[in-house]
Amino acid sequence: MRLNLSKRKLFMAGAAGAAGVVAAVTAVATAVATPEHAGARSGNDAPVEVEVHAPARGDVAGVEGKGWFVDLEVDYPGGQDGLHKAGFSGLQLTGPAGHNNVPPFPGTFSPGKDDRLPGLVVLGSTTVSRPGTKFAGPGTNLANLFNMTGVTDRTADETELWDTWIVGDSILGKDVDTVLTVAVVDDLDHNGVYDDAPDTVTDENGDGRVDAADLKALGVASEVERVPFHLSGTPAA
């Protein structure tokens, strides 16, 4: 797994502009320089690799629970059919309201299974339940809320994608300790594609929580990355 900042800079430039690129690259470089930024791995034999570049372990993120980033790198098997194996269905630049599923890179924006990386699961341990919506507490798969998805490297060895979400609402609460848990679900239906993430992860082991243990019980193709951090309740000024 590699961090190619020049490549990431080009990817971000189209959406954020030059000033935003400088800030994003600086933030990623800082996170990578911190050895605790990623969740613990139990081995390197998984067919898919996931790395969480933001938030970093122990960060105090956001403004009143919103305005923070989740920035992921996901490495799938390489080769000419690497994107097919990843379940990748196209580039994405999306968001809420008028930004939802529109050109130039349409993608849907809602809780649940991602329409661009359909094997990805992203959980927040303090995700709130909202009646009448798909927000169903900590088991809610947040992957389809990601704004930008792009292909950053394609070789015989790996197919590397980056996925980014700017969190625009305090759906994980504010002034609270929380844990982000990320993994790619295994090829459960054996169709050769990592496209089997659920909209909601259930309490598979019946311990009253939805967490890494439940993802492992469901079946994962990657290590489960777990990042504890704090969501600030403080306003900007």
Side-chain angles (χ1 to χ4, degrees), residues 71-140:
D71 206 14
L72 307 179
E73 176 185 337
V74 190
D75 292 343
Y76 293 90
Q80 292 185 348
D81 62 346
L83 288 176
H84 172 72
K85 291 178 181 177
F88 176 72
S89 60
L91 304 173
Q92 176 171 238
L93 177 61
T94 190
H99 303 286
N100 189 357
N101 211 23
V102 296
F105 302 124
T108 61
F109 185 84
S110 67
K113 178 177 179 175
D114 188 16
D115 67 325
R116 290 297 180 259
L117 294 179
L120 181 66
V121 172
V122 179
L123 303 177
S125 65
T126 55
T127 300
V128 298
S129 295
R130 293 184 174 178
T133 74
K134 292 183 178 180
F135 289 104
T140 307

Side-chain angles (χ1 to χ4, degrees), residues 38-52:
R41 297 182 184 275
S42 61
N44 58 2
D45 56 347
V48 180
E49 292 184 71
V50 173
E51 188 166 356
V52 182

Side-chain angles (χ1 to χ4, degrees), residues 4-5 14 19 24 96 102 118 126 161 163 165 167 179 187 189 201 207 234 237:
N4 189 320
L5 294 180
V102 296
T126 55
L161 296 101
D163 214 15
W165 173 30
V167 183
V179 178
D187 178 14
D189 61 5
V201 177
D207 66 354
T234 305

